[in-house]
Amino acid sequence: MTDALLEFARSEWLSMGVELELQLIDRRTGDLTRGASDLIALVTKQPFPGDVKPEITESMLEVSTSVQQAFEPLRGELLAIRNALVTGADRLDLEVAGGGTHPFQRWYDRQIYDRPRFRHVAGLYGYLAKQFTVFGQHVHIGCENGTQALWLLHRLSAYIPQFIALAASSPYFQGVDTAYDCSRLNSVYAFPLSGRAPFLTDWPAFERFFAKLKALGVVESMKDFYWDIRPKPEYGTIEVRVFDTPLTVERAAVLAAYVQVICRMLLEHPAPPESEEIYVTYNYNRFQACRFGLEGQLIDGATGAVRAVHQDVLATLELVRPHARELGSLDAIDEVERWVRTEGNDARWQRQTFQRHHSMAELVLQSAERWRGTRAPAPEMPPPRRVGTL
């Protein structure tokens, strides 16, 4: 990769796109199964409503939308992608499911997909590559230039706990309840170039940073950064990477719209982030959201004030409603509020479903039913827990 390829492409302001990493399921056992190559070959024999490509192991694949401007077209495209995948999976006797982790798969059973990039990752990171069989949603937001992208990246970092908690769908991992709503990010955090991006606030400085790491042999491309939010100069976007893959495409569309309206609010009055002090409680707040979901406790690093993630979301919803009205995404904002006040996140549904069936295999198959649009019966929900401290 040459320095010229790090030039930041200009994108339309606030355009958005979604990538989803998905699980391929054996419909008899509920376990992950190899099938990515066959499913991709089948669904791409005719025009596919989006893009589909392999991921690091044969038990997963990634789909992505085209560039969209508004919530409803994005949701429509995601539904069309979902329908095409389900039709193809039925022909191959497979199921497709969302969720940030598979509840009981064993990492050592996975097969690395035969591509140079994936072979390189497996050679560099060893067993971590197979343990990286976890599943996330990535949301891209278009920016006009690289410096705007970095400003937005840093200012958006305050909302990362909200994004984690709202999308959390990985309470089970390697056959146990982890006690986390989002355990997936613990797997990502094992990689050395993960966590938050460095505090660089103009694009020339970022180019120098990248060039130095490349010269040292630390990175080859932007793909080597596993940050929570990273710039994607070739697309002209920032990419928010902390979401677990939701159990439905409808929820995925809502989460993307929520990111878009927050970005509109922040870009209405663009200002550089004040200092690296904005990150003083970042890791703690991130942990709280992963561990306790919407009941996690957030600490304001400047004032010391504490409030729950769900309170932070509700306060943000009031601020972004005028922007949602302008973008035509009020329905999405109303849906986020409904989750917070009544339904909770997907991790809550997963735990309740497991308690009903006492079978992780059945939980996976019920999740696959949710993905295909046949809603599994919602279990009776107890009052949400109100804890968030150790």
Side-chain angles (χ1 to χ4, degrees):
M1 182 174 183
T2 65
D3 290 343
L5 290 180
L6 200 61
E7 182 178 348
F8 196 91
R10 182 184 176 93
S11 288
E12 186 168 350
W13 186 56
L14 294 176
S15 58
M16 60 178 168
V18 167
E19 299 164 345
L20 295 173
E21 296 164 341
L22 300 170
Q23 307 184 29
L24 300 182
I25 304 297
D26 184 310
R27 58 177 35 161
R28 286 162 291 277
T29 67
D31 202 354
L32 289 179
T33 188
R34 295 177 62 179
S37 300
D38 291 341
L39 184 55
I40 292 170
L42 180 61
V43 300
T44 54
K45 284 183 178 179
Q46 52 191 348
F48 186 79
D51 187 42
V52 58
K53 60 186 179 183
E55 254 298 339
I56 192 165
T57 72
E58 272 276 1
S59 301
M60 59 195 303
L61 55 78
E62 180 181 275
V63 295
S64 56
T65 68
S66 59
V67 178
Q68 298 288 344
Q69 307 297 326
F71 168 61
E72 284 298 342
L74 177 70
R75 187 170 72 97
E77 185 175 12
L78 283 169
L79 287 168
I81 288 171
R82 187 274 311 274
N83 293 342
L85 285 179
V86 167
T87 299
D90 283 344
R91 290 183 60 184
L92 295 173
D93 201 28
L94 301 174
E95 295 286 354
V96 180
T101 56
H102 185 278
F104 63 88
Q105 66 96 11
R106 300 301 180 184
W107 63 267
Y108 45 79
D109 290 331
R110 306 283 63 87
Q111 180 72 34
I112 298 295
Y113 198 100
D114 188 18
R115 276 196 169 184
R117 165 70 184 171
F118 301 145
R119 291 197 301 270
H120 167 74
V121 171
L124 178 61
Y125 292 113
Y127 82 108
L128 288 180
K130 289 188 177 182
Q131 284 206 337
F132 207 38
T133 306
V134 292
F135 308 85
Q137 171 179 347
H138 304 159
V139 176
H140 289 262
I141 299 294
C143 300
E144 295 174 330
N145 57 67
T147 295
Q148 182 191 68
L150 292 174
W151 287 13
L152 183 58
L153 181 157
H154 293 302
R155 294 182 67 195
L156 199 60
S157 67
Y159 300 91
I160 286 297
Q162 292 189 26
F163 299 158
I164 292 171
L166 287 167
S169 62
S170 52
Y172 298 106
F173 187 61
Q174 301 288 290
V176 299
D177 188 330
T178 64
Y180 280 68
D181 274 17
C182 171
S183 69
R184 179 186 67 91
L185 285 175
N186 293 329
S187 295
V188 180
Y189 215 45
F191 287 77
L193 299 173
S194 61
R196 69 172 181 87
F199 190 73
L200 299 167
T201 58
D202 66 80
W203 194 247
F206 188 88
E207 288 182 305
R208 292 191 295 272
F209 166 81
F210 176 83
K212 182 173 183 178
L213 288 191
K214 188 177 179 185
L216 292 170
V218 176
V219 299
E220 285 295 323
S221 75
M222 289 297 300
K223 289 183 177 180
D224 294 318
F225 296 115
Y226 295 93
W227 297 328
D228 294 344
I229 316 175
R230 70 182 179 190
K232 289 289 284 185
E234 65 269 38
Y235 295 162
T237 66
I238 60 166
E239 179 187 13
V240 183
R241 299 169 49 83
V242 295
F243 299 101
D244 285 355
T245 296
L247 298 182
T248 67
V249 292
E250 292 91 342
R251 187 173 284 245
V254 167
L255 290 168
Y258 187 49
V259 177
Q260 185 193 39
V261 297
I262 291 174
C263 289
R264 187 182 194 275
M265 176 181 70
L266 296 175
L267 290 174
E268 280 287 288
H269 304 286
E274 294 178 3
S275 75
E276 200 163 1
E277 285 294 305
I278 62 173
Y279 287 109
V280 67
T281 58
Y282 181 86
N283 286 337
Y284 180 79
N285 290 345
R286 184 184 188 274
F287 158 75
Q288 283 280 317
C290 288
R291 174 66 175 84
F292 300 107
L294 291 165
E295 309 310 319
Q297 301 294 300
L298 305 182
I299 300 176
D300 185 314
T303 67
V306 179
R307 68 177 172 185
V309 177
H310 64 86
Q311 294 172 326
D312 203 43
V313 174
L314 292 175
T316 302
L317 290 173
E318 291 308 306
L319 294 175
V320 301
R321 282 191 182 279
H323 302 279
R325 189 173 296 110
E326 291 293 323
L327 292 170
S329 54
L330 279 174
D331 287 348
I333 298 308
D334 289 341
E335 186 71 354
V336 173
E337 182 170 0
R338 187 180 68 82
W339 299 345
V340 173
R341 295 192 183 278
T342 61
E343 183 175 314
N345 58 25
D346 281 338
R348 188 179 177 198
W349 179 90
Q350 289 168 307
R351 285 194 169 103
Q352 292 296 322
T353 300
F354 178 74
Q355 288 170 14
R356 290 180 69 201
H357 297 281
H358 301 286
S359 165
M360 288 194 177
E362 184 61 26
L363 167 60
V364 174
L365 295 173
Q366 292 277 318
S367 297
E369 286 297 299
R370 282 179 72 88
W371 171 261
R372 67 169 55 236
T374 308
R375 286 270 179 152
E380 183 178 347
M381 298 294 185
R385 63 190 190 279
R386 297 297 180 190
V387 296
T389 55
L390 297 177

